[in-house]
Amino acid sequence: MTVLLIDEDIIVLDLTRQVLEQCGGYRVLAAHGFAAADALLTDASRIDVLITDMRSSLSDDVYRRALERCPAVATVLVFDAVKGRPHRAPPRSELLSMPYGIQELLDAVSRAVAAVAGLRANLAVPGSVART
C-alpha cells in the first residue's frame, strides 16, 4: 500500500515515514508541505492512504484533490489534542490525536483502510456503482 504523508514539520515527517515503512511495511511518499503534496497528486497517482495534519486550511484542498484522483483513498487526519477534537471531519476519515505513539499510528491507518474497503471493492468491479 502507498501512503501519501504530508506534514510541514520535517522532523515529524521523517519520523512518521520511518515508522510507516519499517513497522507497517508501507511505501511512503513524503511531502514537506502542501505544494509538494500537490505535485505528487498527478493523474497517474495511486494513493491508498492519505495522512495529513488538520492544522492547515490547505489540508482541505489536498484532501479534495486526493479524493478526485483516488476515490477510495483512506484518510488519517492528525489533530492537536490540546486544541481539542475537531467538530467536523470529512467522511470516511480516521482522526488521530497528537501526540501519538507508533501503535496508535499503525492502528489509525488500519482503521482508515478498513473504512474504505467496501468502496474499493465496488470500484474494482467493472460496471459497478460506487456508493459512499
Side-chain angles (χ1 to χ4, degrees):
M1 288 199 142
T2 300
V3 174
L4 174 56
L5 172 63
I6 307 164
D7 204 297
E8 294 177 349
D9 183 327
I10 195 76
I11 294 170
V12 171
L13 182 73
D14 191 49
L15 287 172
T16 305
R17 179 191 55 77
Q18 287 179 39
V19 166
L20 291 168
E21 289 175 346
Q22 294 173 6
C23 299
Y26 296 99
R27 176 177 171 254
V28 179
L29 303 174
H32 179 242
F34 292 93
D38 193 51
L40 292 172
L41 288 170
T42 65
D43 290 334
S45 298
R46 184 181 180 282
I47 307 299
D48 298 298
V49 182
L50 169 67
I51 303 175
T52 188
D53 193 331
M54 293 186 74
R55 289 180 295 198
S56 173
S57 61
L58 294 174
S59 66
D60 289 340
D61 293 335
V62 172
Y63 176 79
R64 275 193 296 279
R65 183 119 188 256
L67 282 178
E68 288 171 7
R69 299 287 187 247
C70 311
V73 69
T75 56
V76 176
L77 302 173
V78 180
F79 69 96
D80 188 343
V82 174
K83 295 180 182 176
R85 188 174 182 88
H87 297 292
R88 188 175 63 90
R92 300 185 339 255
S93 59
E94 183 67 31
L95 297 177
L96 180 61
S97 166
M98 291 187 301
Y100 53 84
I102 292 172
Q103 194 59 54
E104 291 168 305
L105 172 63
L106 297 174
D107 289 347
V109 172
S110 293
R111 286 190 306 269
V113 170
V116 297
L119 179 58
R120 286 184 181 178
N122 282 343
L123 292 174
V125 177
S128 69
V129 177
R131 287 173 248 140
T132 55

